[in-house]
Amino acid sequence: SQAISQLNGVERRIEALLWQLAERWGRVAPEGVLIPLVLPHRIVAQVVGARRPTVSTAIGTLTARGKLVRRPDGTWLLPGEPVGLPTGEARRMIRTRRPRVRSVPAEGVSRRAG
């Protein structure tokens, strides 16, 4: 929640929140990922750190862009791919760090507890 509230733009915060909820409670459907939670705009606003009218406008914008669908029963549908995951091209370019190998103290050398 704290990381989401630090994102720029209410649309990004709402989208990140809904993908986080989808990761925990979502169900994959042919149209996208269904979040079977009824969340009023007031609750979404409290979680993302915005005012309710701003959240309503942002949800309208996300809906118009096709990134979010509010179903008639009040649940949410996220069409498309999760946000924040690297694409194939980006994944190829991102180097993964190799874990550091810690050296083992030589035999007979003791470490003092500090």
Side-chain angles (χ1 to χ4, degrees):
S1 294
Q2 288 179 343
I4 289 172
S5 67
Q6 299 301 312
L7 291 173
N8 292 333
V10 178
E11 290 93 0
R12 287 184 64 201
R13 287 187 244 163
I14 293 169
E15 199 171 5
L17 169 67
L18 291 174
W19 277 112
Q20 184 181 28
L21 295 173
E23 185 177 327
R24 174 68 175 95
W25 288 288
R27 296 184 194 138
V28 177
E31 314 87 43
V33 180
L34 175 67
I35 304 171
L37 302 172
V38 179
L39 294 171
H41 292 192
R42 178 181 53 83
I43 300 297
V44 174
Q46 289 175 350
V47 175
V48 300
R51 299 183 71 194
R52 201 266 323 140
T54 306
V55 166
S56 296
T57 303
I59 287 174
T61 302
L62 288 170
T63 301
R65 290 183 189 160
K67 294 187 174 196
L68 177 63
V69 177
R70 183 85 183 257
R71 295 169 46 112
D73 61 356
T75 59
W76 304 87
L77 177 70
L78 295 167
E81 295 294 317
V83 295
L85 293 179
T87 62
E89 181 65 19
R91 202 175 291 125
R92 184 183 66 78
M93 297 172 74
I94 296 172
R95 294 182 187 169
T96 56
R97 285 186 150 182
R98 287 184 278 173
R100 290 185 184 177
V101 177
R102 293 186 178 201
S103 60
V104 179
E107 211 174 297
V109 176
S110 64
R111 291 190 134 161
R112 293 189 342 198

